[in-house]
Amino acid sequence: MHTLKGRRGLLAVAAIALLAAVAVAGIASAGEGPVKVKVGELEFTADGGFKPKALSKTKLTPIAFEASGTIKSISTDPAKKHPPALKEVLVEADKNTAVTTTGYPTCKSGELQSTTTAAALAACKPALIGEGTTKVGIAFPESNEVPVNSRLLVFNGGEAGGTITYYIHAYITLPVPAAIVTTVKIKKIHHGRYGLLATATIPKIAGGSGSVLSFSLKIDKKFTYKDKTVSVISAKCPDGKLQAHATAVFADGTRASADVIRSCTGKN
């Protein structure tokens, strides 16, 4: 079975957005509740976590993950009320976690491009590993921001050459109908506490005029492979915590990094 160890429970691929949120803050977070942070003229409220909190100290335990957040500009300048678009998120994840894909159905990027939510599910539902919702703000020059809501769907893109791929699909209807497919690449690293690097590349929304305003997402997927129950995301807790380091890159050139820490209880 192909398993990428080093993936952190808090940092499931679906959690990319949460990590980006905390990265915007440029702080270390060890709390378990919502985090509201301000950096420059951006304000982000993020929340998330994993269950169960009690994990084996030595064996990987299946976990479920949830994340949510909102982002907004707090500038008093009307021309800056629309937050900058997020281009890329890089996450170094805890070595005491794992992502498993072998034996789970896969979906190709081409099956998701230019598709509605219903069409994406029709083509790739067996490969679905998580879902949620998102709100995108579309703001063209000298125009008011228009919010557009969409479901979020996370699909398994498979593994090749030691890299696991996930696709996060959203569909917007304004200014013209369009699918937004974020590609997440996950590979092993050896960097102290961290054992995995996840890189999310977010495409331009509405030609660069769109920005994510809010999201909620959940991954809790188990499946059977070779007569055994397997979890897409697993973790163990040898020292009472799971952590990650995240860097967010925005369209205006802003780069922000942070450490994220969540507690767990280790069991023998």
Side-chain angles (χ1 to χ4, degrees), residues 162-251:
T163 297
I164 285 178
T165 299
Y166 284 173
Y167 298 115
I168 303 177
H169 179 280
Y171 183 76
I172 61 173
T173 55
L174 294 173
V176 295
I180 304 166
V181 182
T182 294
T183 301
V184 184
K185 297 287 187 179
I186 312 161
K187 65 180 182 180
K188 291 181 180 180
I189 60 172
H190 300 282
H191 188 197
R193 177 80 190 197
Y194 307 115
L196 200 73
L197 174 66
T199 303
T201 304
I202 299 93
K204 287 184 178 181
I205 302 172
S209 298
S211 298
V212 175
L213 302 179
S214 66
F215 70 90
S216 64
L217 199 55
K218 181 178 181 179
I219 290 182
D220 183 11
K221 182 62 66 176
K222 300 176 181 64
F223 61 100
T224 301
Y225 179 65
K226 292 186 176 180
D227 297 323
K228 294 183 178 181
T229 299
V230 182
S231 178
V232 170
I233 308 170
S234 303
K236 56 184 177 180
C237 183
D239 59 2
K241 66 180 180 181
L242 294 173
Q243 69 183 62
H245 180 77
T247 298
V249 183
F250 292 86

Side-chain angles (χ1 to χ4, degrees), residues 90-142:
L90 300 96
V91 179
E92 291 181 288
D94 200 297
K95 63 185 179 182
N96 291 305
T97 57
V99 171
T100 302
T101 60
T102 296
Y104 197 76
T106 62
C107 178
K108 296 179 180 179
S109 176
E111 297 177 276
L112 301 173
Q113 302 292 341
S114 303
T115 60
T116 64
T117 299
L121 284 171
C124 294
K125 188 172 183 179
L128 186 69
I129 62 170
E131 57 185 305
T133 61
T134 187
K135 179 187 289 186
V136 174
I138 310 295
F140 294 105
E142 300 181 1

